[in-house]
Amino acid sequence: MERQQRLRIAIQKSGRLTDHSLDLLARCGLKYSRGKDQLMCYGENMPLDVLFVRDDDIPDLVQEDVCDLGLVGLNVIEEKRLAMAARGGQARFEMIQRLDFGRCRLSIAVPDEFVYDGLRSLAARRIATTYPNVLARFLRENSIEAEIVTLSGAVEIAPRLGRADLICDLVSTGSTLTANHLREVATVLQSEAALIRTPVALPDEKADWVRRLLLRIDGVQQVRESKYIMLHAPRSALGRIKQLLPGSESPTVIPLDGGGDKVAVHAVCRENVFWETLESLKAAGASALLVLPVEKMLP
Ligand code: PRT
Ligand code: ZN
């Protein structure tokens, strides 16, 4: 099939999003072969090819219609969108689905000795960041006048080098901040990975694959947290047991062969099932408890 008929998705070549992105595509059923340092790999069982690039290039590849889809952090998407708007343009990509990985936040952090007394303490300070447009919007919305120092990396050492008074950078565990004697004082943006698409209308067959992919992604995200739970219980305990099953819709209740008053209860729980829940279920009269992972789900 020529390129026109095959979908092309851009993902990060090597970084924090790479493994999760490949895992998501594999769980959506994509089989592919990837050679070492290969820029592109071809789907063997779906008309979907994967292009490996730097994450910062993904929005452009999608808006230039080189790729139909892209998988990238909301932080990159927002920065790109605002940068285009600042130049009087408009981003030509659409965010179509948030994904459940790559979670982090863009935060303001100050040196340990900095006396922070709310956002007004940022006034007239120099703030180092690789996200000047997202930061500028935050400062504007909070009516703060400060100087933005745009860096391309190593933001966390800018205060020590005297290049800035404080920083605005991505944080996940916070250990990088601690190691650099910085503390987080305000969140500018909550981020996670997301799927973007070209605004260009796709031919029917491609559009159909995008729809199928979205449904599968939805299914993958739902099963990640879901568990299938099976247990035995006396009918009289059913009310209490249904209340205890975390995030489940109406469970299936099956009479047990020769079990008298006892029934088997099967339910899909859309949350993780913890030991505490099992213990409560047991205390409510349940026995023979079994919790299984869910492999696939299609609502
Ligand atoms: O080479 P390329 O340009 O593709 O990669 P990159 O270096 O720009 O990106 P990469 O791989 O570091 O991150 C890719 C995406 O992962 C980001 O755009 C975010 O959407 C997401 N993400 C999630 C993170 C983090 N968590 C994260 N913690 N990106 C970066 N960090 C960095 C942060 O900048 C800081 O240096 O990790 C450090 C802080 O981590 P903690 O755990 O110490 O708080
Ligand atoms: Zn990058």
Side-chain angles (χ1 to χ4, degrees):
M1 261 189 269
E2 54 179 304
R3 143 89 173 120
Q4 294 308 65
Q5 286 153 356
R6 293 182 67 86
L7 275 175
R8 194 180 280 170
I9 184 167
I11 70 167
Q12 191 184 24
K13 184 173 166 60
S14 123
R16 285 169 200 266
L17 302 180
T18 308
D19 288 348
H20 288 289
S21 303
L22 286 172
D23 178 65
L24 177 66
L25 293 175
R27 283 174 194 269
C28 286
L30 181 70
K31 291 203 167 55
Y32 57 89
S33 47
R34 186 189 182 190
K36 237 186 166 190
D37 292 328
Q38 223 173 280
L39 182 66
M40 179 125 166
C41 71
Y42 299 89
E44 289 165 2
N45 59 339
M46 284 160 78
L48 174 64
D49 301 329
V50 186
L51 189 69
F52 297 92
V53 291
R54 284 200 54 196
D55 66 344
D56 317 73
D57 296 335
I58 294 175
D60 277 338
L61 287 167
V62 172
Q63 65 180 350
E64 285 158 17
D65 206 30
V66 175
C67 293
D68 309 287
L69 301 169
L71 233 161
V72 64
L74 281 174
N75 48 312
V76 174
I77 296 174
E78 269 308 275
E79 179 61 24
K80 192 81 200 175
R81 204 175 60 74
L82 294 170
M84 306 265 308
R87 280 186 256 121
Q90 205 189 348
R92 281 171 287 113
F93 52 79
E94 286 168 34
M95 203 271 280
I96 47 174
Q97 172 120 28
R98 284 167 174 260
L99 303 168
D100 59 0
F101 60 85
R103 227 159 255 156
C104 57
R105 54 200 184 273
L106 185 64
S107 288
I108 307 255
V110 300
D112 284 343
E113 64 282 0
F114 188 100
V115 181
Y116 181 77
D117 180 26
L119 289 178
R120 63 193 170 135
S121 305
L122 308 182
R125 302 292 188 163
R126 293 168 304 154
I127 312 176
T129 190
T130 46
Y131 296 89
N133 289 284
V134 178
L135 175 59
R137 178 180 62 182
F138 176 80
L139 294 175
R140 212 166 41 238
E141 284 174 357
N142 289 284
S143 312
I144 297 158
E145 299 253 1
E147 186 191 336
I148 298 174
V149 180
T150 306
L151 301 179
S152 56
V155 170
E156 64 279 3
I157 58 169
R160 257 185 300 154
L161 296 178
R163 298 184 75 183
D165 302 306
L166 49 125
I167 69 164
C168 172
D169 199 12
L170 294 177
V171 183
S172 48
T173 62
S175 56
T176 302
L177 292 184
T178 310
N180 286 283
H181 308 288
L182 296 163
R183 71 177 196 282
E184 198 175 350
V185 293
T187 303
V188 172
L189 182 81
Q190 287 288 353
S191 183
E192 59 205 343
L195 188 68
I196 54 174
R197 63 158 284 171
T198 164
V200 175
L202 298 172
D204 285 352
E205 201 178 330
K206 268 173 131 177
D208 195 46
W209 268 106
V210 172
R211 261 192 303 277
R212 287 172 73 177
L213 196 62
L214 280 171
L215 274 176
R216 291 183 189 188
I217 289 176
D218 216 35
V220 170
Q221 301 207 117
Q222 284 190 31
V223 300
R224 267 205 248 271
E225 288 275 283
S226 297
K227 293 283 177 280
Y228 193 78
I229 181 162
M230 306 197 281
L231 54 86
H232 291 174
R235 243 176 219 288
S236 56
L238 271 182
R240 176 82 188 113
I241 282 173
K242 281 185 193 168
Q243 284 175 358
L244 287 171
L245 288 172
S248 73
E249 282 146 32
S250 44
T252 309
V253 177
I254 315 156
L256 282 175
D257 193 22
D261 179 42
K262 271 204 170 175
V263 289
V265 178
H266 291 192
V268 173
C269 295
R270 287 172 194 268
E271 291 167 33
N272 234 324
V273 180
F274 296 104
W275 281 110
E276 287 75 10
T277 311
L278 295 186
E279 286 158 4
S280 310
L281 285 165
K282 196 163 175 61
S287 57
L289 290 130
L290 207 56
V291 181
L292 306 170
V294 176
E295 162 84 19
K296 288 191 177 66
M297 195 188 267
L298 202 62

